[in-house]
Amino acid sequence: MSRSPSQFPKKIDTRNSDNYLKSYLTLQGHNERETLPTMEEIVDICTGRPRLLRVRRSPLEILHDPAIPPLAVHNWYLYNALDYLENSLFVLFEDWETDYNKRMKKQVPGHLFSQYVHNIYQCYKEIGLLFQIPIPFSSALAAPELKQAVQRASLSLIHSMIPSNFLDTRTQYFRSQLVQFLETPCLFHPHYRSRQPAKQVQKVLDDKLLELENVRCVSDEVLRRALQDDEDESMEDEEEGKEGKDMKEFEMICQELNQLQLTEDWTEMVKEVIEKELESSDIIDDWTESIVQEKLRWLHVFVLPWISYVTSREDTDANWYDFLREKIKVEHLLYELIYRIRIKDIFDIIREYPTTSPAIVDFHIISTKRGLLNDLKTFLMDEIRYRLLHLGASLQDILTQYEACVTCLSVIDPSCEILEPVIKLIKHYLLRQRNYRRDVLLGIVNQVRERLDEDPIDSSKLYVFKKLLINDEEVPHALDDFDRDKPARLNRLRTKVKDPIAMLISLCKSLKDFIDGYGNALGQALMTAQYATDTEVRRIELLKRHFPPDSFLRCDIMLKDVEDSRRLDRQLHESKQFEFPLHSTMMTRQYWIASSDSEEEDEDEEEEEVQWGVYEGLEDTMEMYGNEYKQLKMSRRLKFKPMKGMVTLDLEFENRTMRVEASPEAALVIAVFETRDQLFTCEQVASKVGMKRSQVIKCLQFWREKEILELTARGEYHLLED
């Protein structure tokens, strides 16, 4: 066959190496007319008559002379072997182009592709047949350097001559094989079946890696220890799958391509397959199930057997560990793709916790193994700024999301490195952006009170605040240095995150603010609880566990006041009959009212002149109650706070009677309305009862929500029924 100059141009020229060797042979006294064997003859002898090379007068005897420089022999053999290989490949690839063009560039059948792969491999093996035959050790042809040089040069030549359409066909072939593996579970490569691959691939081999870059170069020793440490009898040991003629052919092609170093790069193929699997999976949008565990099982059953064929070479421990490294690599590819899909929903996944706890565990696995914790932190903080920390978000939403973030991020990153900046972000907004409004402190206190109603946490998880922080004393240098020490600070945070109540309290401006705020909330609750203190006693006792002794002395005194008030009130009602069913709570002023609220309350009382005359006889009852109290407590007197506490009203309508518990202000407001025909504006009601307009508006809104009052288009209020 004539050789086209434009296609597969000639690369190897053997003339120089032949002349170089012959010149040395002449110097050694050999007949210059004596011809050297050609590569075709050497291949023919090695395949058909290998014994000729072992006899004394073998065709290669002239090359065994130790006086001939090895370099001359090596160059001669190398260039002749490459010339033989080049000519063989030229014929092969010419035939390939013909067959490929006959099919109008359609997909080449797998059996035809495998035939050409086998032929290329045979050409490659032929030029190395000589090294499989015993040759005198002193001969230059027996040098290991020659074998290695021939191998490297021949592979380089093959790679340079491979047509691009042959590589495209290889890709199509491997894709088609991968599709077959995905349709039906297949066995692992025969080289690995004695090692129980179906069971071994289920083991976690990358838990103890120190750095991300170690994923692709894990040492054999690390893999061996991981296989031994992760023994689990519950793992499936059965290996079921198909194996037939097609599998044998695929096995042969993979092995030959591996020898030729023409193995397909499976990364992009598997990546596309994983992406399609995730897109078609219903579980991707179901945050209540672990997508990582389910897709890992799918990967181990359908994809890893295919990879075992693609990467297989020989049945050795080294190749087995190489396969395990490929297993880790494809698992990390899966982690990366799942992360990219799920990260956009991280804010909502955290908000829906604990129903989304499987998704949170998935984030822990993915972000720690792939080193994506900083990326997750950055994305989540951006989401928090955009979706949570703005004027349209209620304080309750912020506190709820804060609690969820604390719990979820401590699971995702047990070191708490990404949790710390998230906490600072939310706390900074609450203390500065919202100007630490009173509703922040009240909201935190109410959230803590709700958490105290839940099952108490284990004492081993309790976080106890230091007394120095409560008393606002000057922070000593040692403690200041402790806060600057990041490892110590994170260690303290890791202890605190186990205690959700302590994490809520830490949002306050100071611990003293929280203690005062809790005392105010407790006082308000006790004034409306009608002497029912069991719940409050339980809450305060649970809360005390987080603080040093005597931190809630004020709360203890308030609770004692309620118990004393219940006893005294019972004595007063037993000794005297009152027109109104008045029950009072005797408060110790210095403890029931925080210093920050005392001045405001005094100002309110000076500005208001509440008209209690709407309830005829109430003021007389209050005076009689006070006189009776003087008889029991000669050294004390009562100063009523009529706007504190709770009022129980029986509202009598034409067809029904409705019992309502309301604040004293709301009771005064509803007393103004007697018939359905009466219409009053907000200003008129405020004038009648002597209250501020803002307070009257709140009370009117309360009765509207109870469907007792209605607001007209003219801004007037009236009863819905007589």
Side-chain angles (χ1 to χ4, degrees):
M1 178 183 291
S2 60
R3 187 156 185 162
S4 170
S6 60
Q7 189 173 21
F8 311 119
K10 183 73 173 175
K11 298 180 180 180
I12 308 300
D13 188 356
T14 63
R15 287 175 296 179
N16 290 336
S17 61
D18 289 347
N19 294 334
Y20 184 54
L21 178 61
K22 286 181 179 180
S23 63
Y24 274 103
L25 291 175
T26 302
L27 291 175
Q28 296 299 323
H30 294 281
N31 187 353
E32 61 180 7
R33 294 183 178 181
E34 188 175 356
T35 59
L36 294 170
T38 64
M39 197 65 204
E40 289 83 351
E41 294 174 343
I42 294 175
V43 171
D44 181 60
I45 294 173
C46 290
T47 54
R49 298 168 294 168
R51 293 186 60 185
L52 288 178
L53 298 176
R54 301 190 186 100
V55 300
R56 177 175 298 181
R57 302 292 299 176
S58 74
L60 297 177
E61 180 184 13
I62 191 173
L63 298 176
H64 297 336
D65 188 349
I68 302 176
L71 181 62
V73 177
H74 290 178
N75 285 341
W76 174 82
Y77 186 88
L78 177 62
Y79 279 92
N80 278 273
L82 293 179
D83 181 66
Y84 174 81
L85 178 62
E86 184 181 30
N87 292 329
S88 302
L89 292 177
F90 171 77
V91 176
L92 269 178
F93 291 142
E94 283 287 332
D95 293 342
W96 164 261
E97 291 290 344
T98 302
D99 289 338
Y100 184 82
N101 292 328
K102 280 182 181 179
R103 301 179 181 279
M104 300 299 292
K105 299 184 180 180
K106 294 181 180 179
Q107 184 171 351
V108 177
H111 67 87
L112 183 61
F113 172 75
S114 62
Q115 177 184 338
Y116 276 97
V117 170
H118 182 67
N119 291 339
I120 296 172
Y121 180 71
Q122 289 302 316
C123 292
Y124 167 72
K125 294 295 290 183
E126 283 176 351
I127 61 175
L129 290 174
L130 178 65
F131 305 116
Q132 300 176 10
I133 297 175
I135 297 176
F137 183 75
S138 59
S139 173
L141 293 175
E145 295 83 359
L146 175 60
K147 180 179 179 181
Q148 295 172 2
V150 170
Q151 184 180 26
R152 287 194 301 268
S154 58
L155 289 176
S156 177
L157 178 63
I158 293 173
H159 294 171
S160 65
M161 293 184 66
I162 287 285
S164 59
N165 52 27
F166 186 87
L167 298 179
D168 294 339
T169 304
R170 177 195 63 181
T171 301
Q172 295 173 1
Y173 175 78
F174 276 93
R175 288 184 188 278
S176 64
Q177 292 297 319
L178 179 55
V179 170
Q180 294 182 25
F181 274 75
L182 295 175
E183 291 175 350
T184 306
C186 299
L187 296 174
F188 284 82
H189 194 281
H191 288 170
Y192 305 139
R193 291 175 192 171
S194 62
R195 304 177 186 266
Q196 298 179 312
K199 178 179 179 180
Q200 301 296 340
V201 296
Q202 298 178 58
K203 297 181 178 180
V204 180
L205 305 180
D206 55 350
D207 260 358
K208 297 182 180 180
L209 301 184
L210 299 179
E211 299 178 0
L212 178 62
E213 53 266 24
N214 289 338
V215 168
R216 298 189 179 186
C217 55
V218 186
S219 68
D220 293 351
E221 180 62 23
V222 171
L223 291 173
R224 185 184 62 79
R225 287 200 304 266
L227 291 174
Q228 293 176 350
D229 294 343
D230 197 22
E231 288 294 342
D232 187 352
E233 296 181 358
S234 64
M235 291 181 178
E236 297 180 2
D237 192 21
E238 297 182 1
E239 188 173 1
E240 298 181 357
K242 69 174 184 179
E243 183 181 32
K245 181 179 179 181
D246 292 341
M247 297 297 295
K248 291 291 185 182
E249 181 181 279
F250 183 55
E251 175 188 342
M252 181 190 68
I253 291 178
C254 291
Q255 190 165 355
E256 291 177 347
L257 287 176
N258 273 309
Q259 292 290 332
L260 296 171
Q261 297 182 7
L262 288 173
T263 306
E264 179 70 29
D265 182 9
W266 55 263
T267 307
E268 286 301 320
M269 286 190 200
V270 173
K271 182 179 178 181
E272 293 176 6
V273 167
I274 294 175
E275 287 175 342
K276 290 180 181 179
E277 174 68 16
L278 294 177
E279 290 173 1
S280 62
S281 176
D282 296 333
I283 198 175
I284 195 67
D285 296 322
D286 184 4
W287 304 332
T288 63
E289 298 289 340
S290 172
I291 188 174
V292 168
Q293 298 304 324
E294 177 168 321
K295 296 311 172 185
L296 277 178
R297 287 191 292 270
W298 169 80
L299 201 71
H300 296 159
V301 173
F302 293 97
V303 179
L304 279 180
W306 179 80
I307 294 178
S308 73
Y309 279 86
V310 174
T311 61
S312 175
R313 293 186 295 276
E314 298 176 357
D315 184 11
T316 62
D317 289 343
N319 290 332
W320 166 243
Y321 289 130
D322 285 341
F323 169 67
L324 294 179
R325 278 184 275 271
E326 299 298 319
K327 164 194 174 307
I328 297 175
K329 179 181 175 181
V330 72
E331 287 176 346
H332 279 249
L333 180 61
L334 174 67
Y335 298 150
E336 185 82 23
L337 295 175
I338 293 177
Y339 176 83
R340 296 303 169 194
I341 294 175
R342 278 277 176 90
I343 187 60
K344 66 181 186 299
D345 298 317
I346 182 65
F347 184 89
D348 297 312
I349 291 174
I350 290 177
R351 183 179 58 189
E352 298 296 327
Y353 188 85
T355 58
T356 58
S357 56
I360 296 299
V361 174
D362 284 351
F363 270 117
H364 164 68
I365 296 172
I366 293 170
S367 57
T368 52
K369 289 182 181 292
R370 292 296 301 152
L372 296 169
L373 288 173
N374 285 331
D375 184 84
L376 185 147
K377 177 196 69 177
T378 302
F379 189 90
L380 177 60
M381 291 179 70
D382 289 341
E383 287 286 288
I384 289 174
R385 290 189 188 97
Y386 177 72
R387 299 180 58 180
L388 188 67
L389 303 184
H390 55 79
L391 296 178
S394 68
L395 178 65
Q396 182 63 38
D397 291 340
I398 295 176
L399 294 179
T400 301
Q401 188 72 8
Y402 167 79
E403 287 187 284
C405 282
V406 168
T407 304
C408 294
L409 293 183
S410 64
V411 173
I412 294 174
D413 176 26
S415 71
C416 293
E417 287 199 38
I418 66 173
L419 175 59
E420 187 181 39
V422 172
I423 292 174
K424 289 181 178 179
L425 174 67
I426 297 175
K427 185 173 182 177
H428 176 75
Y429 174 80
L430 291 177
L431 300 187
R432 189 187 68 84
Q433 190 69 19
R434 297 172 72 101
N435 199 25
Y436 197 56
R437 298 186 326 202
R438 292 184 64 184
D439 68 330
V440 173
L441 178 58
L442 181 60
I444 294 173
V445 169
N446 289 336
Q447 196 88 337
V448 169
R449 286 168 60 82
E450 290 180 8
R451 296 296 171 264
L452 290 171
D453 290 336
E454 299 172 358
D455 294 336
I457 64 173
D458 189 82
S459 57
S460 61
K461 298 180 180 180
L462 274 177
Y463 183 84
V464 181
F465 293 98
K466 297 182 180 297
K467 189 174 182 180
L468 287 174
L469 302 176
I470 296 174
N471 296 334
D472 285 339
E473 297 179 8
E474 183 178 352
V475 179
H477 292 297
L479 188 57
D480 192 31
D481 294 339
F482 181 81
D483 287 336
R484 295 194 186 101
D485 184 3
K486 183 177 180 180
R489 193 175 65 246
L490 290 177
N491 186 55
R492 182 172 57 184
L493 182 57
R494 285 192 289 270
T495 303
K496 190 186 292 186
V497 293
K498 300 175 185 177
D499 188 342
I501 293 177
M503 293 303 299
L504 277 172
I505 296 172
S506 298
L507 278 180
C508 293
K509 194 172 186 179
S510 67
L511 293 180
K512 189 174 183 302
D513 274 359
F514 172 78
I515 293 173
D516 290 342
Y518 191 89
N520 295 340
L522 176 62
Q524 184 64 32
L526 291 176
M527 284 188 287
T528 60
Q530 297 180 347
Y531 307 130
T533 60
D534 292 345
T535 299
E536 297 300 338
V537 169
R538 178 181 180 276
R539 287 173 176 168
I540 199 65
E541 291 301 323
L542 291 175
L543 187 59
K544 285 179 182 179
R545 300 192 302 166
H546 302 269
F547 292 84
D550 299 331
S551 298
F552 290 90
L553 180 61
R554 176 188 171 204
C555 296
D556 291 336
I557 292 175
M558 286 192 289
L559 289 169
K560 185 177 183 303
D561 284 347
V562 173
E563 290 298 320
D564 293 342
S565 298
R566 174 162 45 186
R567 176 176 51 81
L568 290 171
D569 183 78
R570 184 173 63 250
Q571 293 179 8
L572 290 173
H573 279 275
E574 289 175 353
S575 62
K576 188 72 174 180
Q577 295 293 326
F578 300 101
E579 182 178 353
F580 270 81
L582 175 64
H583 301 275
S584 64
T585 299
M586 292 72 169
M587 304 183 298
T588 304
R589 178 180 176 85
Q590 290 83 355
Y591 294 95
W592 281 75
I593 303 173
S595 58
S596 59
D597 296 332
S598 180
E599 296 178 1
E600 296 179 6
E601 186 175 277
D602 291 341
E603 291 175 2
D604 291 344
E605 290 181 358
E606 291 175 3
E607 293 177 3
E608 296 179 8
E609 294 182 2
V610 179
Q611 303 296 324
W612 286 100
V614 292
Y615 288 105
E616 185 178 353
L618 177 57
E619 292 183 349
D620 294 337
T621 300
M622 293 167 63
E623 184 178 355
M624 292 174 59
Y625 195 98
N627 293 334
E628 289 295 323
Y629 180 79
K630 285 182 181 180
Q631 294 180 14
L632 290 176
K633 297 287 186 179
M634 300 295 295
S635 61
R636 298 184 181 180
R637 67 183 182 89
L638 287 180
K639 181 180 179 181
F640 283 98
K641 298 283 185 179
M643 302 306 287
K644 304 292 184 183
M646 185 64 66
V647 178
T648 301
L649 298 174
D650 288 332
L651 301 180
E652 297 182 355
F653 300 99
E654 287 184 351
N655 300 321
R656 65 188 178 108
T657 299
M658 181 179 182
R659 173 162 288 189
V660 180
E661 289 188 352
S663 66
E665 297 97 327
L668 283 174
V669 168
I670 198 61
V672 175
F673 298 88
E674 295 182 356
T675 64
R676 187 177 182 182
D677 297 332
Q678 290 178 314
L679 297 171
F680 297 103
T681 63
C682 178
E683 290 76 11
Q684 291 172 335
V685 175
S687 176
K688 285 180 175 293
V689 299
M691 291 168 51
K692 288 182 179 180
R693 184 175 182 275
S694 59
Q695 291 177 310
V696 172
I697 291 176
K698 291 180 181 178
C699 296
L700 291 171
Q701 181 62 27
F702 171 80
W703 292 115
R704 285 186 64 194
E705 292 173 357
K706 295 290 184 181
E707 298 183 353
I708 302 299
L709 295 180
E710 183 180 47
L711 177 63
T712 66
R714 297 173 59 184
E716 295 175 325
Y717 293 86
H718 68 91
L719 291 169
L720 286 172
E721 53 184 314
D722 290 325

